[in-house]
Amino acid sequence: MMKTYLSLFLLICCCSDLVLAQQRNEKLIVEQDYLLSLPEGYQQDPQKKFPLVLFLHGSGERGNDLEKVKVNGLPKLVEAGKKFPFILVSPQAHENEGWESRDLMRLMQSLQKKYRIDEDRLYLTGLSMGGYGSWDMAIKYPGLFAAVVPVCGGGDSAKVWLMRNTPTWVFHGAKDDAVPLKASQEMVDALRIHNPSVKFTIYPDAGHDSWTAAYNTDSLYTWMLSQKRFKYTQSTVAKADLERYQGYYVNSLRNDTIKVEAGSGVLIGTMRNHQVEIKPYQEGRFFIKENEPVDVVFSGKKRKQQFVINDERQYIYKMIRKIE
């Protein structure tokens, strides 16, 4: 649900109890079949909202028979009688197709309208092809999920920094000969630079089937359900401390110049007579909207100061002149 807040900043101008944890078949208008499992108590309190877990299966479960989706992972546990305290949605990918994040996003939007879902507690997990799908969707919609659990997957390590505010727990088998361990390792290593709390569990004797052990880890669900969607929280900073960031900054590639001034507890960014408040949340780190995964990070000293806008890309602005 990533809105390009560079466009705001640079525009500064210019989501019946199933008694035996059964699952029923559902279909989205865009032909996305899925299994649905509702938690106990869902029908009792029409006002109560519940967490939702989106589960993405592996390549062997593709097709048009939802029974195949019950072969592995969370749907398998539900079919065996496991009861989860969350809404579980397990879509099925079409034959010979992978996971498409845009289609999954349409599914999520449909689910949010149809069921009583706590939008601050949306979770994503998947195995093998679904592990890849989990990484991809979390990167493309970094403000959507409260936590992500990719199992024996991989992805684009150059873009994983976009998940810097998303709690992540990764699982993989050391002897996996279908998806090599390095596929997860590269993602974790790249993410740890920006998100040091990322968790990584390696099963030394497991092959490709690391998901059985992963999804039978009770602490996984305790950890996952304790996470809530990230929101920035504004901190209190004196105007005098904000004044060190004042100046004119330029991005030479875009030929953009932004004037940054200290306001009352915030910075004011101005471009082409349009203004936006830039709010502090840590020293040298600022945000524009609390629920948008975009921040502004300052570094350097005096006239060599610069800031980076972390949006869908990273945009670097270097100071060309101080405001005295």
Side-chain angles (χ1 to χ4, degrees), residues 37-90:
S37 174
L38 297 175
E40 289 185 329
Y42 183 85
Q43 305 293 357
Q44 265 66 31
D45 185 352
Q47 303 302 316
K48 184 177 180 180
K49 294 186 176 182
F50 290 82
L52 178 142
V53 174
L54 180 65
F55 169 78
L56 306 181
H57 63 67
S59 60
E61 290 78 68
R62 293 176 291 183
N64 57 6
D65 180 5
L66 282 170
E67 291 300 309
K68 295 172 68 175
V69 181
K70 301 176 183 179
V71 171
N72 292 310
L74 298 185
K76 179 180 180 179
L77 294 176
V78 171
E79 199 67 11
K82 178 99 175 159
K83 297 180 181 180
F84 288 116
F86 49 76
I87 299 168
L88 174 63
V89 173
S90 307

Side-chain angles (χ1 to χ4, degrees), residues 44-196:
Q44 265 66 31
D45 185 352
Q47 303 302 316
K48 184 177 180 180
K49 294 186 176 182
F50 290 82
L52 178 142
V53 174
L54 180 65
F55 169 78
L56 306 181
H57 63 67
S59 60
E61 290 78 68
R62 293 176 291 183
N64 57 6
D65 180 5
L66 282 170
E67 291 300 309
K68 295 172 68 175
V69 181
K70 301 176 183 179
V71 171
N72 292 310
L74 298 185
K76 179 180 180 179
L77 294 176
V78 171
E79 199 67 11
K82 178 99 175 159
K83 297 180 181 180
F84 288 116
F86 49 76
I87 299 168
L88 174 63
V89 173
S90 307
Q92 185 175 37
H94 297 300
E95 195 70 48
N96 299 319
E97 293 184 6
W99 291 114
E100 173 51 57
S101 293
R102 289 183 182 178
D103 291 341
L104 291 171
M105 188 63 199
R106 293 189 190 101
L107 172 62
M108 292 296 291
Q109 291 169 339
S110 174
L111 295 169
Q112 288 173 301
K113 294 176 182 178
K114 192 171 182 180
Y115 303 104
R116 300 195 311 277
I117 296 171
D118 183 346
E119 295 185 2
D120 287 330
R121 301 179 73 198
L122 304 177
Y123 307 101
L124 174 63
T125 187
L127 59 89
S128 192
M129 184 182 83
Y132 278 89
S134 296
W135 282 114
D136 185 72
M137 192 175 187
I139 287 171
K140 288 179 177 173
Y141 302 99
L144 180 61
F145 295 102
V148 178
V149 183
V151 181
C152 59
D156 188 347
S157 60
K159 294 182 179 179
V160 77
W161 63 271
L162 289 160
M163 294 173 59
R164 64 195 179 280
N165 296 321
T166 305
T168 305
W169 192 344
V170 182
F171 293 85
H172 214 116
K175 297 180 179 179
D176 193 330
D177 58 0
V179 178
L181 175 61
K182 70 175 183 178
S184 283
Q185 187 71 65
E186 289 174 355
M187 297 296 283
V188 170
D189 289 346
L191 182 55
R192 274 195 175 136
I193 297 171
H194 308 277
N195 182 355

Side-chain angles (χ1 to χ4, degrees), residues 4 6 10 251 254 307-317:
T4 305
L6 182 67
L10 297 179
N251 180 310
R254 298 179 61 92
F307 65 77
V308 177
I309 299 176
N310 292 308
D311 191 2
E312 292 175 343
R313 290 175 52 196
Q314 292 180 306
Y315 300 86
I316 300 174
Y317 283 78

